């Protein structure tokens, strides 16, 4: 199988942080996590939220996924880190291969990062939880070194 989702910080995001497009502080912008099937194409070149091959609306999933709780960025050594609280989809029945984190506050829903789950993940009449790693220089989901 061709892996169409590649984990990466989106290149467009890298320049947007230098032009103050994104505000990750609590009370800042609203970021969302959308889930996608293995047919999706998400990678460093993804610039905005896309609907193509998003997990179908219903069965515990809503279009555009779930809002993320922002955790104000902090330094871990010399690395700026951003974290989110874990997010769960309840009463869920779907299969997903990866996700896209994007800014739902800014026009055109700019992409932040794509994440490949390393294989299809299926939930059947249960809870599907995304567990974010520790917010430190080695593990944080978003790190700027």
């Amino acid at each position: 199988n061709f892996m169409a989702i590649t984990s990466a910080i989106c290149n467009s995001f890298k320049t947007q942080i230098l032009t103050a497009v994104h505000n990750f502080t609590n009370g800042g912008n609203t970021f969302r996590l959308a889930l996608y099937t293995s047919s999706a194409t998400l990678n460093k070149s993804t610039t905005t939220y896309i609907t193509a091959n998003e997990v179908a609306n219903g069965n515990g999933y809503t279009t555009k996924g779930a809002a993320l709780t922002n955790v104000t960025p902090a330094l871990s050594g010399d690395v700026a880190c951003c974290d989110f609280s874990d997010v769960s989809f309840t009463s869920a029945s779907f299969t997903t291969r990866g996700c896209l984190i994007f800014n739902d506050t800014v026009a055109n829903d700019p992409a932040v990062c794509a994440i490949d789950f390393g294989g299809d993940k299926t939930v059947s009449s249960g809870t599907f939880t995304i567990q974010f790693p520790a917010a430190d220089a080695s593990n944080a989901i978003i790190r700027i070194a």
Side-chain angles (χ1 to χ4, degrees):
N1 284 351
F2 174 74
M3 290 181 48
I5 300 175
T6 304
S7 295
I9 296 291
C10 298
N11 284 336
S12 56
F13 172 75
K14 295 172 188 176
T15 58
Q16 289 167 350
I17 58 175
L18 298 176
T19 57
V21 170
H22 303 278
N23 179 355
F24 284 90
T25 60
N26 287 321
N29 297 151
T30 298
F31 292 86
R32 296 186 71 84
L33 181 145
L35 297 175
Y36 292 85
T37 69
S38 60
S39 298
T41 299
L42 302 170
N43 53 46
K44 67 182 180 181
S45 299
T46 302
T47 58
T48 61
Y49 159 78
I50 57 172
T51 58
N53 299 300
E54 184 175 4
V55 167
N57 192 41
N59 296 315
Y61 184 79
T62 304
T63 301
K64 280 194 165 184
L68 297 172
T69 302
N70 304 10
V71 177
T72 299
L75 283 175
S76 173
D78 293 329
V79 179
C81 301
C82 182
D83 191 22
F84 300 102
S85 297
D86 295 349
V87 63
S88 294
F89 299 87
T90 58
S91 301
S93 294
F94 55 74
T95 297
T96 180
R97 173 62 194 233
C99 67
L100 180 71
I101 295 174
F102 65 96
N103 188 334
D104 197 36
T105 302
V106 176
N108 300 320
D109 300 328
V112 173
C113 64
I115 302 168
D116 175 33
F117 296 152
D120 281 346
K121 305 298 179 188
T122 301
V123 58
S124 181
S125 300
T127 299
F128 185 83
T129 300
I130 304 288
Q131 294 180 326
F132 285 97
D136 61 39
S138 300
N139 300 295
I141 200 72
I142 299 172
R143 295 172 292 208
I144 300 171

